[in-house]
Amino acid sequence: MSNSTSIRNRLRSFGITPRKSLGQNFLTDDDSARRIVRLAGIKPEEMAFEIGPGIGALTRHLAQAARHVIAIELDRNLIPILQQELASVSNMTILQADALAVDFVKLLRDGGFDERSPVRFVGNLPYYITSAMIRRMLEAPLNTRGIVLTVQLEVAERIVAQPGDMSMLSVSVQVYGKPELLMRLSPSTFFPQPDVDSAVVRITPRRQTDNPDALFDLARAGFSQRRKQLRNTLSAGLRLPKPAADEMLADAAIDAARRAETLSIPEWVRLTDVYIQRGYAAAKRSDSSASDSASNSDVPAPTTANSTEL
Ligand code: SAM
C-alpha cells in the first residue's frame, strides 16, 4: 500500500476529507519528513512550535528531536486523529487554535516553560497564511533559533531573492534573518497533490536594524510602484518634497534613479538611518497617528509591529 493510500484510508476512517480552504496537502513521504526535521537542526534542549501539524507527518520526528513540541492546528476535525497518532508521545502538546492569533510567549508560560527557552518553528504552511505567519514568527519576542518552513516554490524563491529581484516579502524576511532555500518537494510527496512544487526554506534570525518599523515605512513606499524611481516612490509614499527625497537618498549614497527591487538590505538600513536622523520617520508617525485619531477616535492607531505588510 502506498503512503498516500494509507493516509487516505486513515483520513477516511475518521470521516475526514482534506479541506482545500485550509491548504490541507499532507506530506506522505516519511524520508522527506525526517529530512525536514533534520534541516531544522533542533537540539534536545530546544522547544519546537509546529504550525499546522495536519495528521502529524512531521510531529513525531519533531518530538524525537526537541525538548517539547507545541503543535498548533486550526482544524478541530484533525485533533482526534492527531491525538490517536501521537498517543505514545509524551513531550508534546496539541492545541486547536489559529496560529495567526496565538500568543507564543503565553503558550510557553502556560506549559510551564521559561519564556526565554530556545525555540524553533517548523511548519508546512498553507499559501494563504504564509506571509502573515512568517511575520508573526519573526516578530515574536522569543529566543528563536531558527524557522524551517515548507512553502510554495515560487514563494520560497521570492523570500531568498537578491538585489535586482527584491520585493516587500524578501526585504521583510531578510531584515530579520538569513533565508536559505534547502530542498524542493514535488507535488507527488503530498496527498492530495498540490498544483505546484514546494520548497523548504530555513530562516536563521539575524536582525539587521533596530528600527524595522521605519525601514518598512520606507520599503512600503519604495515598492508601492515597482517600476518607478526611488526619488518618485519615496516622495509620493512618504509625502516628502522631491528635493528632500533626493537629499535623503544622496546622504545614504543611493542613486535616486534606482528602483526599490535593486536595493540590498544594508542599503535599506542606511536609508533608514538617514530617514530617522532627518526627523522624517518621527514626523510620519505623528502624522499617521493624527490622521488615524481624526478618522476614528474610538479605534486606536494600529501598532506598527502588527501592521507590516509583506
Ligand atoms: N504539517 C502537515 C503535513 O506536512 O502533512 C500538514 C500540512 S498542511 C499543508 C497545512 C496544515 O495547516 C493543515 O493541517 C491546516 O489545517 C493547518 N492550518 C491552516 N491554517 C492554519 C492556521 N491559521 N493555524 C494553524 N493551522 C492551520
Side-chain angles (χ1 to χ4, degrees):
M1 189 164 46
S2 77
N3 286 338
S4 68
T5 311
S6 108
I7 286 191
R8 195 183 313 208
N9 289 344
R10 260 186 289 154
L11 288 168
R12 197 173 290 150
S13 70
F14 279 81
I16 291 167
T17 312
R19 291 166 70 181
K20 211 171 177 177
S21 63
L22 291 181
Q24 291 180 348
N25 303 99
F26 301 112
L27 192 61
T28 56
D29 177 27
D30 200 47
D31 285 342
S32 300
R34 285 174 198 277
R35 225 173 129 199
I36 292 169
V37 172
R38 213 170 36 244
L39 291 171
I42 301 166
K43 304 205 171 57
E45 70 277 14
E46 292 174 347
M47 303 288 298
F49 279 113
E50 185 182 8
I51 311 301
I55 56 171
L58 296 170
T59 322
R60 180 183 305 279
H61 302 299
L62 287 172
Q64 277 165 6
R67 176 179 173 203
H68 193 96
V69 180
I70 300 178
I72 306 163
E73 172 56 57
L74 179 61
D75 187 354
R76 63 179 69 250
N77 294 331
L78 297 182
I79 304 297
I81 186 166
L82 266 175
Q83 282 167 337
Q84 189 185 82
E85 293 285 315
L86 301 160
S88 61
V89 179
S90 58
N91 61 331
M92 71 164 300
T93 308
I94 300 168
L95 189 73
Q96 189 275 313
D98 180 352
L100 286 172
V102 296
D103 176 341
F104 294 109
V105 173
K106 185 166 182 306
L107 288 183
L108 288 180
R109 270 201 234 116
D110 290 352
F113 302 102
D114 192 315
E115 60 197 72
R116 287 158 305 172
S117 305
V119 307
R120 293 196 190 243
F121 285 93
V122 178
N124 175 359
L125 300 183
Y127 177 69
Y128 70 100
I129 66 165
T130 303
S131 300
M133 197 61 227
I134 292 179
R135 183 179 79 215
R136 289 212 80 226
M137 293 183 278
L138 287 168
E139 291 183 345
L142 294 167
N143 177 9
T144 304
R145 297 276 171 87
I147 297 172
V148 165
L149 303 172
T150 304
V151 296
Q152 288 190 2
L153 175 62
E154 179 263 331
V155 175
E157 286 170 344
R158 278 174 47 218
I159 289 173
V160 303
Q162 292 299 303
D165 291 313
M166 297 293 277
S167 63
M168 197 62 209
L169 178 60
S170 50
V171 170
S172 306
V173 172
Q174 294 176 28
V175 158
Y176 284 111
K178 181 177 175 304
E180 303 159 273
L181 199 161
L182 300 177
M183 122 191 204
R184 289 170 74 139
L185 293 167
S186 76
S188 64
T189 42
F190 298 93
F191 172 78
Q193 294 194 16
D195 299 330
V196 292
D197 281 355
S198 302
V200 178
V201 178
R202 179 169 58 205
I203 305 170
T204 308
R206 197 185 302 158
R207 207 180 234 245
Q208 303 294 311
T209 175
D210 292 331
N211 301 293
D213 297 339
L215 190 148
F216 292 137
D217 282 346
L218 283 165
R220 258 192 298 270
F223 284 109
S224 60
Q225 295 162 292
R226 289 184 70 88
R227 299 279 150 235
K228 292 208 171 159
Q229 300 181 353
L230 281 167
R231 65 154 57 92
N232 296 319
T233 55
L234 295 186
S235 143
L238 303 171
R239 290 193 229 147
L240 290 175
K242 271 203 187 123
D246 276 344
E247 280 171 25
M248 190 170 75
L249 286 157
D251 280 5
I254 296 167
D255 182 343
R258 284 173 62 187
R259 291 171 175 77
E261 66 205 19
T262 70
L263 258 58
S264 66
I265 297 295
E267 286 175 320
W268 281 115
V269 171
R270 233 166 43 223
L271 190 58
T272 304
D273 292 344
V274 175
Y275 180 56
I276 290 170
Q277 278 156 19
R278 287 179 159 254
Y280 298 147
K284 176 165 194 313
R285 303 246 138 231
S286 60
D287 184 33
S288 352
S289 48
S291 56
D292 285 336
S293 55
S295 58
N296 185 346
S297 55
D298 293 324
V299 180
T303 62
T304 48
N306 294 327
S307 60
T308 311
E309 300 291 330
L310 292 189

